Amino acid sequence: MRLVALCGLGFVVLTVVVVAGTVPGDARVSAAAVDAALASPGPTRVAQVVEAVTQPVWVYLAGLAGVVVAHRRGRRRPARAALAAGAVAAVASPALKALTDRARPALEAGLTTADGGSFPSGHVLASTTVVLSFVLLLVPPSRRAAVAAVGAVELVVVAVDRVWLGAHWPSDVLGGWLLAAVLVGTAAWWASRSERDRHLRGAPGGARLDGGR
């Protein structure tokens, strides 16, 4: 939980900085990315396809399918934890966008269909929540390395895509990563603790931790 707590603190600090003013480096990186996108129509068209297929609604539906499969295969507590993390992420994204009311960096460039608030990135939050849920909760340990490798590539592609198209500032991407880590990390901790408590209750004599006193 220490890493989860650090991610939570990082997200709170980043949110305060975003609300208070400009995040250092955001404008420079965003301007360079959008200039490159305008000068590179081929990669930009690919980025626009990525934007369409990684819309949060599709990503969360993929995660829901994983939850259903895991639940049917007996991973009930992890499946419920993943479902809770996804539900909170889906609600938190528009709520935080409305609260922070941050303008997007380059809508005038006409590269993205995004609108509304910018912080945190909904695409990044959804993708990271679902990828981490698969890795930490939904797939068996023997498959986690492969899923993590594929998921890492997807997360990098989505992160670059959001900045490339001028839909998000780099700090929006960071905010999505941090919030997803908090949500899924907390869910994984709950699932692990719940599973451990279930085993203790089922142990002979209740496995009393007080030495039987």
Side-chain angles (χ1 to χ4, degrees), residues 101-135:
D101 194 26
R102 190 184 200 191
R104 293 178 184 266
L107 294 183
E108 71 281 357
L111 301 175
T112 178
T113 59
D115 57 9
S118 184
F119 181 86
S121 167
H123 278 69
V124 171
L125 176 58
S127 290
T128 309
T129 298
V130 171
V131 167
L132 289 180
S133 292
F134 271 100
V135 173

Side-chain angles (χ1 to χ4, degrees), residues 20-33:
T22 304
V23 178
D26 260 358
R28 177 172 52 83
V29 173
S30 179

Side-chain angles (χ1 to χ4, degrees), residues 63-80 137-138:
L64 181 60
V67 166
V68 171
V69 171
H71 194 273
R72 288 182 174 177
R73 291 182 176 178
R75 298 180 62 82
R76 291 181 174 85
R77 283 179 174 80
R80 292 168 189 163
L137 292 163
L138 299 178

Side-chain angles (χ1 to χ4, degrees), residues 44-83:
T44 297
R45 282 193 292 271
V46 173
Q48 289 167 337
V49 172
V50 170
E51 177 181 58
V53 300
T54 59
Q55 288 287 336
V57 62
W58 307 125
V59 175
Y60 285 129
L61 284 175
L64 181 60
V67 166
V68 171
V69 171
H71 194 273
R72 288 182 174 177
R73 291 182 176 178
R75 298 180 62 82
R76 291 181 174 85
R77 283 179 174 80
R80 292 168 189 163
L83 182 62

Side-chain angles (χ1 to χ4, degrees), residues 8 28 42-43 54 100 103 119 122-123 130 144 166 173-174 184 204 208:
R28 177 172 52 83
T54 59
T100 55
F119 181 86
H123 278 69
V130 171
R144 284 177 183 167
V173 171
L174 178 59
V184 181
R208 292 179 64 179

